[in-house]
Amino acid sequence: MRRRGQELEDALLEAAYAELTEGGLAAFTLDRVATRAQTSRPVLYRRWPNREELVIAAIRHHDDRNRPPIPDTGSLRGDLIALLKGANRHRMQLITPVLAQLSGYFLETGRTPAELRRELIGERVTSDLTIIRRAIDRGEIDPARITPRVAALPFDLFRHELLMTQAAVPDEVIEEIVDHIALPIMTGTIPPPR
């Protein structure tokens, strides 16, 4: 039975992600992806004009398929902590096999990690922005306090910790990021004593 449409595209992206995580970017070729997906190179080229775009599409596909639900605990603090703890579990599964493989991608393409992140997110409303919008709707924060940098702050600090240690971020560090840095800036409140 011949695969078509979304079924075919899913199979191609899953094969591409498997090739990337198993062999790394140096061994990543459209021939290998086509062989794994049991199709031909022209089928791939009709969707992605080069391997760099296929790499991005494969990572985005994997991330979208494995994204945890956006937490809704009823409070900004609870949502931020739950989001970062969920990301801790989810991102460690993503970062371990892929991050080491992407150094060649950055050298090859001249792109930066920030540019790759923008490409992976695309037009999607991120989980942190959803949580912030809910908190604004509940009256927990004044929207005038929330600049793009402030909105990104909890995840930026989390991501920095994750990348610098290449290990799961301890719960107490997540709580410190939220309680002592993010919430005071977002709400204007004084952090609880340590």
Side-chain angles (χ1 to χ4, degrees):
M1 184 173 180
R2 204 165 165 196
R3 297 167 298 180
R4 298 184 186 280
Q6 194 61 51
E7 180 187 4
L8 174 61
E9 189 160 314
D10 289 347
L12 297 172
L13 291 170
E14 287 163 15
Y17 187 81
E19 283 295 322
L20 179 64
T21 57
E22 289 174 19
L25 190 66
F28 187 90
T29 66
L30 274 78
D31 284 331
R32 289 177 65 110
V33 173
T35 299
R36 183 181 283 254
Q38 298 176 338
T39 192
S40 65
R41 283 177 55 137
V43 169
L44 292 169
Y45 277 117
R46 280 195 291 271
R47 289 163 177 80
W48 303 281
N50 56 53
R51 79 182 194 133
E52 289 77 23
E53 289 191 30
L54 178 55
V55 166
I56 290 169
I59 295 169
R60 183 184 298 135
H61 177 77
H62 178 81
D63 194 43
D64 287 346
R65 286 272 170 118
N66 295 284
R67 181 176 307 284
I70 300 172
D72 190 358
T73 66
S75 75
L76 176 60
R77 179 185 189 274
D79 288 353
L80 286 173
I81 288 173
L83 178 68
L84 295 176
K85 286 181 178 180
N88 213 17
R89 291 184 298 274
H90 174 68
R91 296 290 181 222
M92 282 311 296
Q93 292 171 2
L94 179 66
I95 204 168
T96 304
V98 174
L99 187 60
Q101 310 295 355
L102 288 179
S103 60
Y105 173 85
F106 297 124
L107 288 172
E108 239 179 69
T109 64
R111 291 184 174 128
T112 66
E115 290 169 326
L116 176 61
R117 180 177 181 271
R118 279 193 299 275
E119 289 181 54
L120 291 174
I121 291 173
E123 299 298 316
R124 185 177 72 226
V125 176
T126 58
S127 300
D128 52 343
L129 288 180
T130 300
I131 285 172
I132 288 169
R133 286 180 184 164
R134 287 183 195 151
I136 290 170
D137 291 345
R138 287 191 301 262
E140 287 184 83
I141 50 180
D142 177 358
R145 296 187 69 87
I146 307 302
T147 65
R149 181 150 323 268
V150 169
L153 181 65
F155 239 102
D156 286 348
L157 293 172
F158 169 81
R159 189 178 306 107
H160 174 78
E161 188 77 23
L162 192 66
L163 292 173
M164 290 297 107
T165 64
Q166 294 191 12
V169 179
D171 287 351
E172 57 271 12
V173 173
I174 288 174
E175 290 173 13
E176 182 180 12
I177 288 169
V178 172
D179 290 336
H180 295 277
I181 302 169
L183 288 179
I185 292 172
M186 290 179 172
T187 66
T189 59
I190 297 171
R194 296 188 82 177

